[in-house]
Amino acid sequence: MYRRVKEFGVLNEGILVNQIDPTSDRAVFRQIADQLRQAIESGRLREGEKLPSEAELIEHYSVARMTVRQAIQELRNEGLAVAEHGRGVFVRRRPPVKRLASDRFARRHRKDGKAAFLAESEAVGARSEVDMISVSEVRPSKEISDRLGTGSDQTVVSRSRRYLRDGHPVELATSYIPVDIARGTKIMEPNPGPGGIYARIEDQGHTLERFVEDVSTRLPTREEAKLLNLTSGTPVFRLIRTAYDLQGAAVEVCDTIMSGDAFLLSYELPAH
């Protein structure tokens, strides 16, 4: 319960510390959203905490209910807040994982029986899960076939899945592997075994030498937003990665959609 400190006109919990400026040309609901956003960014409102109720905001700012609702919607559109039916509006939990490009596909992880997502999650003390696994042979798009160096009429093995961290969906991924590498191996099974598909590719004699990644951002499709449980306005990374073996052959292309507020991409670049 938020209590009013009347002599200062603020909430004593320190959540709201300012009033709106009636002389400003910035819309009132945006001023309210600005103050709530600042409370979130400064830590006065922490992840998972409930925002002041509509009644409390109306009382504090002396505005109409519709103005307060517009302010809350602004935060929801930005992915900062999420509404829970019958409970209120809460600061959205963000489980960022730092993905180090120089480390996450290190061979030592595969030798330890860990696929990249498991290694990343363990590094931040999170629980990882994989669901919605589907394996089939498909004709890939021109973009994928060009990266793999296969003909447009050739089929490849497709492995699609969804990754969850601490029960929250954060990533969708589809790998495309040439059939002469994947067919007849555990790559064709839902669980490819310790170390994931890269370990199985190396089992077939294709020692991995390098990865090339292209990263872009965009808003999610309706289906992506549904599968990743994204609030309106939350962007996604599209990361498309090509794995090459020691002979320079492309042995896998992975097309990944990642929740924009769940990952921090970190790259170490040599200066020589």
Side-chain angles (χ1 to χ4, degrees), residues 223-236:
E223 182 67 10
E224 290 165 350
K226 178 181 177 181
L227 292 175
L228 292 174
N229 194 25
L230 299 176
T231 58
S232 177
T234 302
V236 293

Side-chain angles (χ1 to χ4, degrees), residues 50-111:
K50 188 176 180 180
L51 271 63
S53 68
E54 286 186 1
E56 289 165 331
L57 292 170
I58 290 168
E59 179 188 1
H60 180 75
Y61 290 112
S62 299
V63 294
R65 186 174 301 275
M66 183 55 66
T67 302
V68 165
R69 289 181 176 177
Q70 286 178 300
I72 296 298
Q73 187 61 47
E74 187 92 345
L75 298 180
R76 292 179 63 188
N77 290 344
E78 294 173 11
L80 292 175
V82 59
E84 297 185 14
H85 184 68
R87 297 190 61 220
V89 180
F90 296 80
V91 179
R92 189 180 184 196
R93 296 183 184 276
R94 299 185 177 200
V97 167
K98 189 173 185 178
R99 294 168 64 103
L100 294 172
S102 59
D103 178 76
R104 68 191 212 262
F105 296 118
R107 185 165 285 106
R108 70 177 186 278
H109 296 317
R110 295 194 290 282
K111 287 184 176 180

Side-chain angles (χ1 to χ4, degrees), residues 2-157:
Y2 299 93
R3 291 171 293 171
R4 170 78 72 178
V5 179
K6 293 183 181 296
E7 59 268 32
F8 295 107
V10 299
L11 301 177
N12 80 332
E13 300 288 348
I15 304 303
L16 303 174
V17 296
N18 294 303
Q19 295 288 340
I20 57 175
D21 179 2
T23 66
S24 173
D25 58 1
R26 187 163 177 76
V28 170
F29 80 90
R30 295 190 189 280
Q31 291 187 54
I32 296 173
D34 290 344
Q35 292 185 27
L36 290 170
R37 186 185 306 105
Q38 204 279 329
I40 293 170
E41 293 174 349
S42 68
R44 298 199 306 275
L45 272 171
R46 294 183 293 274
E47 291 183 10
E49 287 190 338
K50 188 176 180 180
L51 271 63
S53 68
E54 286 186 1
E56 289 165 331
L57 292 170
I58 290 168
E59 179 188 1
H60 180 75
Y61 290 112
S62 299
V63 294
R65 186 174 301 275
M66 183 55 66
T67 302
V68 165
R69 289 181 176 177
Q70 286 178 300
I72 296 298
Q73 187 61 47
E74 187 92 345
L75 298 180
R76 292 179 63 188
N77 290 344
E78 294 173 11
L80 292 175
V82 59
E84 297 185 14
H85 184 68
R87 297 190 61 220
V89 180
F90 296 80
V91 179
R92 189 180 184 196
R93 296 183 184 276
R94 299 185 177 200
V97 167
K98 189 173 185 178
R99 294 168 64 103
L100 294 172
S102 59
D103 178 76
R104 68 191 212 262
F105 296 118
R107 185 165 285 106
R108 70 177 186 278
H109 296 317
R110 295 194 290 282
K111 287 184 176 180
D112 288 341
K114 300 174 184 176
F117 188 78
L118 174 59
E120 290 169 352
S121 298
E122 285 189 355
V124 294
R127 174 174 52 88
S128 63
E129 299 175 71
V130 185
D131 69 2
M132 299 179 64
I133 300 170
S134 176
V135 185
S136 61
E137 292 191 22
V138 302
R139 275 199 176 88
S141 67
K142 184 177 185 304
E143 179 183 24
I144 299 299
S145 63
D146 285 349
R147 287 173 180 267
L148 279 177
T150 60
S152 58
D153 59 341
Q154 290 182 289
T155 61
V156 298
V157 171

